[in-house]
């Protein structure tokens, strides 16, 4: 199904809030920083303006739960008052055992209502279809429920929707980092292109363009990869959850002010 687009006036400033997805984890940048879909979208938006006439902030921090994002990032985004805010949050809440997507969505809506009264426009984001993602495929129903709420919230507050569930190209394993929890550089690029479409931009490539053909993998290869992934990523991830730790502890926003691109 074709992406729904929202034609907006030329955007002069953009602030991104969220967790590791919006920070850009999986898409290495200069030094120890990350790029990510929001940074790439900012470049697409800047290309619509005169040179140095576009400002961008990225307040997202990996590992943050919805309430942390609302407490720390939403007030900063309101103070910056940009033309556009992208708001993706709740994913880290949803993957926690026993979480209730209805409750998470209710808190998400309260934050959207707060934001829409203070900034130009708020673009909100559904979850990915986790059908083929190890571990996360077991919570596919919760992700779908939360995503349905996000779309209903978008209707109520007239928000553009970055619909990741319908983005079929990210069902390919090449769209994902080795940890299988974050997008690869190409995956982030596909999301940025879809976000550009949603905002009515003419993007340089289609986000759902086909991937090059891969040779089939045998069951031995798949099993070996799964064992290596569990050792390197799954066990440490579970350990952090048991210890009450977050990958975002002691991490600051990479771009806390609206700066020219």
């Amino acid at each position: 199904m074709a992406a729904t687009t929202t034609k907006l006036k030329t955007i002069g400033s953009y602030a991104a809030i969220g967790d590791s997805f919006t920070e850009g984890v999986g898409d290495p940048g200069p030094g120890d920083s990350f790029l990510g879909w929001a940074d790439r979208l900012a470049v697409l938006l800047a290309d619509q303006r005169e040179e140095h006439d576009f400002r961008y902030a990225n307040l997202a921090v990996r590992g943050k739960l919805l309430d942390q994002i609302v407490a720390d990032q939403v007030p900063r985004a309101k103070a910056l008052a940009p033309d556009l805010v992208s708001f993706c949050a709740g994913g880290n809440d949803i993957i926690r055992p026993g979480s209730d997507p209805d409750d998470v969505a209710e808190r998400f809506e309260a934050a959207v209502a707060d934001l829409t009264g203070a900034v130009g426009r708020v673009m909100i984001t559904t979850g990915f279809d986790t059908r083929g993602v190890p571990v996360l495929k077991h919570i596919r129903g919760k992700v779908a429920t939360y995503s349905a709420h996000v779309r209903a919230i978008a209707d109520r507050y007239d928000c553009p929707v970055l619909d990741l569930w319908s983005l079929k190209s990210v069902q390919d394993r090449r769209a994902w980092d080795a940890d299988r929890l974050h997008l690869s550089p190409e995956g982030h690029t596909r999301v940025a292109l879809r976000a550009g479409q949603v905002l009515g931009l003419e993007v340089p490539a289609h986000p759902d363009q086909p991937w090059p053909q891969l040779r089939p993998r045998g069951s031995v290869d798949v099993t070996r990869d799964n064992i290596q992934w569990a050792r390197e990523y799954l066990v440490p991830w579970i350990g952090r959850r048991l210890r009450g730790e977050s990958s975002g502890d002691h991490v600051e926003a990479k771009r806390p002010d609206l700066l020219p691109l």
Side-chain angles (χ1 to χ4, degrees):
M1 186 171 69
T4 301
T5 60
T6 300
K7 196 73 175 178
L8 301 181
K9 65 180 182 180
T10 303
I11 296 166
S13 55
Y14 165 42
I17 60 178
D19 52 30
S20 58
F21 169 62
T22 301
E23 184 187 349
V25 174
D27 187 5
D32 294 327
S33 68
F34 294 101
L35 295 174
W37 72 271
D39 286 20
R40 296 174 183 276
L41 172 62
V43 171
L44 293 175
L45 291 169
D47 285 346
Q48 311 299 309
R49 310 276 296 191
E50 297 293 330
E51 189 173 3
H52 307 305
D53 188 34
F54 177 83
R55 297 174 300 142
Y56 168 56
N58 190 315
L59 310 177
V61 176
R62 70 201 75 167
K64 296 303 181 183
L65 298 170
L66 172 60
D67 289 346
Q68 294 172 314
I69 293 168
V70 171
D72 299 337
Q73 299 177 32
V74 168
R76 179 59 180 161
K78 289 170 61 181
L80 294 173
D83 295 335
L84 173 71
V85 168
S86 62
F87 183 23
C88 179
N92 287 324
D93 299 73
I94 296 298
I95 65 177
R96 294 200 163 197
S99 62
D100 180 356
D102 298 330
D103 173 66
V104 177
E106 188 173 313
R107 290 183 280 123
F108 181 80
E109 180 166 3
V112 171
D114 189 25
L115 272 171
T116 53
V119 305
R121 294 296 295 269
V122 180
M123 179 173 67
I124 59 180
T125 308
T126 72
F128 292 98
D129 185 349
T130 60
R131 172 176 43 191
V133 183
V135 180
L136 298 186
K137 66 183 178 183
H138 302 294
I139 62 167
R140 188 184 184 215
K142 289 170 65 174
V143 176
T145 299
Y146 186 62
S147 295
H149 279 303
V150 167
R151 294 203 67 94
I153 292 165
D155 287 344
R156 286 194 285 272
Y157 294 91
D158 193 27
C159 296
V161 181
L162 176 52
D163 185 356
L164 301 176
W165 188 278
S166 68
L167 187 58
K168 297 303 182 184
S169 61
V170 296
Q171 297 300 319
D172 191 288
R173 62 185 175 87
R174 287 168 287 184
W176 294 88
D177 189 36
D179 67 3
R180 305 185 185 182
L181 295 171
H182 300 99
L183 294 175
S184 66
E186 180 65 21
H188 278 285
T189 298
R190 301 285 182 127
V191 170
L193 292 170
R194 172 55 58 86
Q197 286 182 333
V198 168
L199 296 174
L201 305 182
E202 291 188 12
V203 296
H206 197 284
D208 263 332
Q209 64 185 349
W211 292 81
Q213 194 71 29
L214 275 179
R215 68 172 181 83
R217 295 198 305 157
S219 59
V220 173
D221 293 332
V222 173
T223 300
R224 183 181 63 245
D225 288 351
N226 287 342
I227 292 172
Q228 179 62 30
W229 167 75
R231 286 173 176 165
E232 190 170 350
Y233 299 105
L234 180 61
V235 172
W237 182 77
I238 293 173
R240 288 197 301 273
R241 293 296 178 273
L242 293 175
R243 294 190 298 272
E245 297 174 357
S246 168
S247 58
D249 290 345
H250 314 299
V251 176
E252 300 292 331
K254 65 181 180 181
R255 195 180 176 96
D257 295 301
L258 285 172
L259 301 174
L261 277 186

